[in-house]
Amino acid sequence: METARNNLRVDGARLWSTLMETAAFGATPAGGINRLTLSPADGRVRDWFRAACEAAGLTVGTDSLGTQFALRPGRDSTRPPVATGSHLDTQPTGGRFDGILGTLAGLEVVRTLNDAGIETEAPILLVNWTNEEGSRYAPATMASAAHVGTFTAEDILARTDADGVSVGQALASLGIVATEPTGSRAIGAFVELHIEQGPILEAEAKTVGVVEGGQGILWFDGTITGFESHAGTTPMPRRRDAVLGLAELALAVERIALAHGPSAVGTLGEAVIGAPSRNVVPGRVRFTLDIRDPRAATLDAIEADVRAALADIAARRQLTATLDLVWRQEPVPFDPALVALVEREAEALGLAHRRMVSGASHDACNLALKVPTAMIFVPCKDGISHNEAESATPSDCTAGADVLLQTLLTLANR
Ligand code: HGY
Ligand code: MN
Ligand code: MN
Ligand code: MN
């Protein structure tokens, strides 16, 4: 079916100024954003988002995990809405585009439709998913996962951060009150715009990534226990140094990921020494692992290799170790017909594009378990993300929002 052509385009300058305006909430001196989920800065951007949606004529609801749903009515209110959106929370050293572009491009699409006086057949829904990043509370994308039933809302509300503050307490601290239960909001299809967060589109001079799915992810929490002892009097051969065990594990994870390459990646992203002291041989460390690959069988093989490496390190160094799998996301394909529609829209707009799999996880990877889902990527400078230097261009952001506009229009008027 040919895509209906129109001359409708988003207002790129307005989108860019919206991106820069909201970057002020949690802005860091280095030009990034530190806006952990349900932090005061997140509370401020949520209030801004609600007001901007209401000013655009949307009706805003909040589910029991704080996810914001902003509805634009369609001619046929019996049809499930066509949804878009992403997240407004960031990493501690986050950038101005990860999640934020997709959420605000959805608002820009609504503003563009309003300016043109266009009413769609199906309603359009804008979503700001709580805690996509998984930095303060694990796992990542927890709210969209609860929306599709992977977790119960009660389970998520009880999750605590490093200070013991639960999701429920954090919601209460921001005065966020649910207007609907998690999972009750109807969604007919979901399309998410996001920066690629990797180097491929820029390297190939492509403007649009037509995303076919997301890779699989394993998250582990682990401990290594040795024996605290005096840094001055304990001979090297008699030490049971937990940090040296951790150091060997980090190198083993790198070796194992490379051995399962080229797509496998492994990261030891957090490490905390129990009772750290300059003149004590460390006896305890807590750490996290993030393992990813597009192939489920490879994830299993990597897990087995990591467990074997950890057991070998512990035996050689007279340490004990634990490794708990706390989150597994299967590799997920997006809806082929919806992916093809995104590709046709990019083609119709004359934008250089290519198909790809997402290295990062996204809320779309959860929605894809329940509704037709696709993603649109645009380049980011040097592929940098989860870093305050994250950067994208106004023209690429505008192009991505135009593909989103056309895709949503086609879906909502079918
Ligand atoms: O970890 C991820 O892939 C996402 O950016 N939270
Ligand atoms: Mn993101
Ligand atoms: Mn992210
Ligand atoms: Mn093509």
Side-chain angles (χ1 to χ4, degrees):
M1 184 206 76
E2 256 314 293
T3 302
R5 295 318 321 143
N6 57 62
N7 295 322
L8 211 52
R9 298 292 181 270
V10 299
D11 179 336
R14 179 172 57 190
L15 172 58
W16 189 258
S17 83
T18 308
L19 285 164
M20 294 306 113
E21 180 185 354
T22 55
F25 301 114
T28 62
I33 300 179
N34 176 7
R35 196 160 70 207
L36 293 183
T37 194
L38 302 178
S39 63
D42 188 30
R44 289 194 295 277
V45 80
R46 285 165 168 271
D47 293 343
W48 178 95
F49 181 67
R50 165 185 287 276
C53 288
E54 287 170 346
L58 305 180
T59 309
V60 183
T62 305
D63 81 357
S64 47
L65 299 180
T67 291
Q68 293 176 298
F69 296 99
L71 186 70
R72 184 178 196 265
R75 272 189 286 274
D76 180 355
S77 60
T78 65
R79 283 183 52 175
V82 173
T84 188
S86 191
H87 61 94
L88 293 174
D89 66 302
T90 75
Q91 292 286 340
T93 54
R96 295 175 294 169
F97 300 91
D98 174 358
I100 305 155
L101 172 61
T103 311
L104 299 185
L107 176 62
E108 177 52 36
V109 164
V110 165
R111 287 170 165 173
T112 301
L113 295 176
N114 289 351
D115 293 347
I118 290 176
E119 195 182 14
T120 54
E121 279 306 311
I124 288 189
L125 184 69
L126 209 35
V127 189
N128 168 28
W129 297 104
T130 294
N131 190 30
E132 186 279 346
E133 289 294 0
S135 177
R136 181 179 181 189
Y137 296 103
T141 72
M142 63 174 22
S144 53
H147 178 82
V148 299
T150 304
F151 302 109
T152 65
E154 293 67 33
D155 170 6
I156 296 299
L157 286 166
R159 300 275 175 120
T160 55
D161 65 11
D163 300 323
V165 178
S166 72
V167 171
Q169 289 167 328
L171 286 163
S173 72
L174 294 180
I176 295 174
V177 178
T179 56
E180 58 193 74
T182 291
S184 61
R185 176 69 67 148
I187 290 179
F190 184 70
V191 184
E192 181 173 359
L193 170 64
H194 206 288
I195 53 168
E196 177 200 340
Q197 300 180 289
I200 297 169
L201 292 175
E202 185 185 59
E204 296 183 7
K206 296 285 192 312
T207 306
V208 172
V210 180
V211 189
E212 297 182 289
Q215 66 177 338
I217 301 179
L218 301 177
W219 274 15
F220 296 94
D221 285 349
T223 64
I224 297 176
T225 305
F227 188 76
E228 273 104 17
S229 58
H230 197 297
T233 59
T234 311
M236 295 307 284
R238 294 179 58 155
R239 295 181 176 207
R240 294 166 52 201
D241 185 329
V243 164
L244 291 181
L246 184 78
E248 279 206 53
L249 176 66
L251 291 171
V253 167
E254 179 190 41
R255 171 177 50 77
I256 293 164
L258 287 168
H260 287 280
S263 49
V265 289
T267 309
L268 195 160
E270 289 180 68
V272 178
I273 297 175
S277 172
R278 188 187 310 273
N279 51 357
V280 175
V281 175
R284 280 169 292 138
V285 290
R286 188 172 50 76
F287 64 90
T288 63
L289 293 183
D290 176 315
I291 306 288
R292 307 194 192 194
D293 192 276
R295 302 156 296 178
T298 303
L299 290 176
D300 297 335
I302 291 173
E303 177 174 1
D305 288 352
V306 168
R307 290 188 182 282
L310 184 55
D312 169 57
I313 292 163
R316 276 189 291 106
R317 290 182 171 273
Q318 296 174 9
L319 305 169
T320 56
T322 64
L323 190 66
D324 298 321
L325 179 65
V326 294
W327 182 41
R328 178 177 176 123
Q329 182 164 69
E330 296 301 329
V332 60
F334 292 151
D335 179 85
L338 199 39
V339 171
L341 172 60
V342 168
E343 188 169 50
R344 281 201 305 277
E345 298 299 356
E347 232 146 62
L349 287 164
L351 298 169
H353 59 280
R354 58 107 78 200
R355 288 183 174 231
M356 59 199 303
V357 171
S358 176
S361 177
H362 301 283
D363 293 306
C365 297
N366 290 318
L367 274 289
L369 300 177
K370 284 285 173 19
V371 300
T373 297
M375 288 192 78
I376 305 160
F377 277 174
V378 292
C380 53
K381 189 167 178 344
D382 302 330
I384 294 172
S385 184
H386 286 193
N387 183 303
E388 292 164 288
E390 180 184 277
S391 171
T393 65
S395 65
D396 285 344
C397 291
T398 302
D402 277 329
V403 176
L404 181 66
L405 168 65
Q406 294 299 332
T407 303
L408 295 177
L409 262 180
T410 302
L411 286 174
N413 287 331
R414 268 184 176 166

